[in-house]
Amino acid sequence: MTSWIWAIGRLGGLSISAGVRASMTLLILGVLSREGWGFHLAPGFSWLESSIAIGVLVLLAILEIAFDKVPSFDRLYARLSVPWHIAAGAIAGGAAVSHGVIGLIVGLVAGAGLAMLGINAKRLWRPRSTTSTVTMPLLSLVEDLTAFGAAVLSATLPPIGYA
């Protein structure tokens, strides 16, 4: 029972983080699991540890972070990347809950739903329009740091995921 409580906490933190920064969250999961730093992927998600997956996720994370800092492009990018963020939330959720088929289903479904929560929180956080060219990059940097911290802490300390 306790393992389910920790898995759900981890699922929540990782999936919401994937709603904000999808590629970064999956990259963190792959690296933490590969290096054995307090997180182990659920069966079936070991592909996240591969060198190819980590390399692709590094490239995608760099692009995601860069595109999000361009004031005129961030809204378009946010809309076009919604399916990727939902899929990444489902993957992060599935990778966090290692309790057989039921854990996989709960992880995938809840992960996708919680990623939508992260997407909507980001949408509410951002101003609709701004004349400053500094505001959006600074808000994006705060989102980067928050998503990074949330992913690392949720993966290594599952109760943090509830926060």
Side-chain angles (χ1 to χ4, degrees):
M1 185 64 170
T2 307
S3 64
W4 270 100
I5 292 170
W6 298 142
I8 297 299
R10 183 174 276 158
L11 161 91
L14 292 172
S15 297
I16 291 171
S17 176
V20 177
R21 291 286 182 266
S23 304
M24 180 191 307
T25 302
L26 295 179
L27 174 63
I28 289 168
L29 293 180
V31 170
L32 288 176
S33 181
R34 183 177 181 161
E35 298 301 324
W37 292 338
F39 179 77
H40 301 287
L41 294 166
F45 291 92
S46 60
W47 56 271
L48 282 171
E49 296 178 342
S50 73
S51 297
I52 294 172
I54 289 175
V56 168
L57 288 169
V58 164
L59 178 64
L60 289 174
I62 290 170
L63 291 173
E64 181 176 31
I65 290 168
F67 287 158
D68 198 55
K69 294 197 178 19
V70 179
S72 60
F73 189 65
D74 68 320
R75 289 272 178 208
L76 175 64
Y77 171 73
R79 288 187 181 148
L80 293 176
S81 66
V82 165
W84 166 236
H85 286 264
I86 294 170
I91 293 168
V97 182
S98 57
H99 292 286
V101 175
I102 292 174
L104 176 65
I105 293 169
V106 167
L108 292 174
V109 172
L114 289 169
M116 283 298 298
L117 181 65
I119 292 167
N120 288 329
K122 178 181 172 181
R123 200 172 285 158
L124 292 173
W125 162 261
R126 293 271 178 119
R128 291 278 179 223
S129 65
T130 181
T131 57
S132 171
T133 58
V134 177
T135 304
M136 295 312 259
L138 284 176
L139 287 175
S140 180
L141 178 62
V142 169
E143 292 167 0
D144 296 340
L145 296 173
T146 303
F148 180 83
V152 170
L153 290 174
S154 295
T156 56
L157 302 168
I160 298 293
Y162 287 108

